[in-house]
Amino acid sequence: MGSIWEIDFYSRPILDDNQKKVWEVLVCESPLDVRAKTDSLFRYAKYCPSTQVNSGWLRTALQEAIAEAGEAPIKIRFFRRQMNNMITKACEDLSIPAQSSRRTLMLNQWLKQRVEEVYPHEPGYQGGTNPSVRLESPLPQRLPDALEGKKWVFVSLEAADLMDMPEWEIGFGEAFPLELARVSPQTRIPGILIFSPRALPIAGWMSGLDLAYLRFDTSVGTRLLLETGVTESWILANIKSPQTLAEAKGFEEAKQQANGVHFIGVQSDPQAESFAGFWLLQEVNLP
């Protein structure tokens, strides 16, 4: 399997000699292994003059990144919806699939580091925020009837237990290095397990959604939502019983204590020793 890249192409809090915002492309390799060392992963950064912001410039920058990396990625993820057309066009010209996604954990951390440690030292730096354009999100959707689990439960594992993920039998799934989330081996990581005789089709469907994170929502009743892509949201469960409500609140509290880290697993039944699907997730604030 080849690598997946995360990219951002956007203006930075830096002005050029003409008092125009300087743009920048950031490219980094997605860490897909829970044991991966993030400092060994590929990175590429290049500033872009405001007069050259277009898909052609971005395509050329991506070609340079591919040359440096030695191979093209199998997919590119990006989180800024307002850059969808430009990024998608540049990637299409290179025959690389592009996907809008909130699963850009490595990129988010790198961008935060550059905001704090790199941009302030550049000529023309302008302090303050450089917010992304906020776009409305659609309402959560119901899961297709055929994909609803027969049963689901809240569970938790120690972070150290998740380091064994590479040895588990998993049909569909994805992870990231726990060092990226800065959690200790003793931290309790909350999650949910979904049980269904149709575990493999459910896991396959979920795999195609680009899972972002789970969250407990009280804006309309009480429910557990599965966030996917950049804006999509699915109602995983409506919570009604007092016991399940207490467990859901405990899940959300434990998730916050674990820096947003949690997981979702899909199995055929509680006695199964393999997973049709298992995803390590983290809820983070995007720029």
Side-chain angles (χ1 to χ4, degrees):
M1 179 180 177
S3 63
I4 296 174
W5 284 2
E6 305 166 14
I7 77 169
D8 185 37
F9 186 43
Y10 205 64
S11 64
R12 303 303 184 216
I14 305 168
L15 298 181
D16 61 18
D17 293 340
N18 297 316
Q19 301 302 297
K20 299 292 185 182
K21 280 282 185 72
V22 173
W23 282 57
E24 180 185 47
V25 61
L26 294 179
V27 177
C28 64
E29 181 182 350
S30 287
L32 305 178
D33 190 324
V34 71
R35 300 172 182 171
K37 298 300 181 183
T38 57
D39 57 4
S40 65
L41 297 173
F42 175 72
R43 296 187 186 193
Y44 171 91
K46 185 175 184 178
Y47 287 127
C48 172
S50 60
T51 55
Q52 298 182 39
V53 175
N54 55 56
S55 62
W57 186 95
L58 179 58
R59 180 187 66 246
T60 300
L62 289 174
Q63 288 173 322
E64 292 177 2
I66 291 169
E68 283 192 19
E71 64 175 0
I74 60 171
K75 179 169 64 176
I76 285 179
R77 290 171 170 161
F78 63 95
F79 67 86
R80 293 193 200 268
R81 279 192 294 165
Q82 65 271 35
M83 299 305 299
N84 179 78
N85 292 344
M86 196 176 297
I87 292 176
T88 300
K89 177 65 167 62
C91 292
E92 283 179 350
D93 289 347
L94 297 173
S95 300
I96 302 172
Q99 183 177 44
S100 56
S101 171
R102 278 173 282 189
R103 198 174 178 89
T104 53
L105 304 178
M106 184 76 175
L107 178 62
N108 297 343
Q109 191 171 104
W110 187 24
L111 187 53
K112 181 180 179 182
Q113 179 261 328
R114 291 181 69 79
V115 167
E116 295 174 350
E117 302 175 12
V118 176
Y119 305 144
H121 300 288
E122 296 284 8
Y125 171 70
Q126 300 292 304
T129 59
N130 188 42
S132 193
V133 176
R134 297 299 175 188
L135 302 174
E136 290 298 318
S137 298
L139 294 174
Q141 306 173 64
R142 284 189 64 249
L143 284 176
D145 292 340
L147 295 170
E148 291 187 357
K150 187 175 181 181
K151 179 183 178 183
W152 60 274
V153 295
F154 286 108
V155 293
S156 68
L157 292 170
E158 280 195 353
D161 296 329
L162 290 165
M163 297 298 287
D164 294 330
M165 269 188 70
E167 276 74 58
W168 298 353
E169 184 179 340
I170 300 172
F172 297 90
E174 191 171 330
F176 59 86
L178 286 177
E179 73 168 38
L180 194 63
R182 296 187 174 92
V183 294
S184 71
Q186 296 76 34
T187 301
R188 298 299 299 185
I189 307 299
I192 70 166
L193 292 178
I194 299 172
F195 303 112
S196 171
R198 304 187 71 256
L200 200 58
I202 290 176
W205 176 81
M206 292 174 67
S207 179
L209 290 178
D210 190 63
L211 274 60
Y213 54 86
L214 292 163
R215 70 180 177 93
F216 175 54
D217 176 62
T218 58
S219 62
V220 180
T222 51
R223 54 194 183 177
L224 191 64
L225 300 181
L226 174 62
E227 302 287 336
T228 65
V230 170
T231 60
E232 293 78 20
S233 183
W234 305 83
I235 303 172
L236 201 60
N238 286 297
I239 298 172
K240 298 178 181 178
S241 76
Q243 179 181 343
T244 308
L245 178 59
E247 292 176 352
K249 290 179 178 178
F251 163 84
E252 195 65 29
E253 290 171 2
K255 187 177 74 173
Q256 299 307 318
Q257 292 171 5
N259 291 336
V261 180
H262 56 294
F263 63 86
I264 181 170
V266 182
Q267 293 182 295
S268 56
D269 59 71
Q271 285 71 48
E273 296 184 358
S274 62
F275 293 93
F278 194 98
W279 292 266
L280 188 60
L281 308 171
Q282 185 181 21
E283 181 176 359
V284 296
N285 294 320
L286 294 174

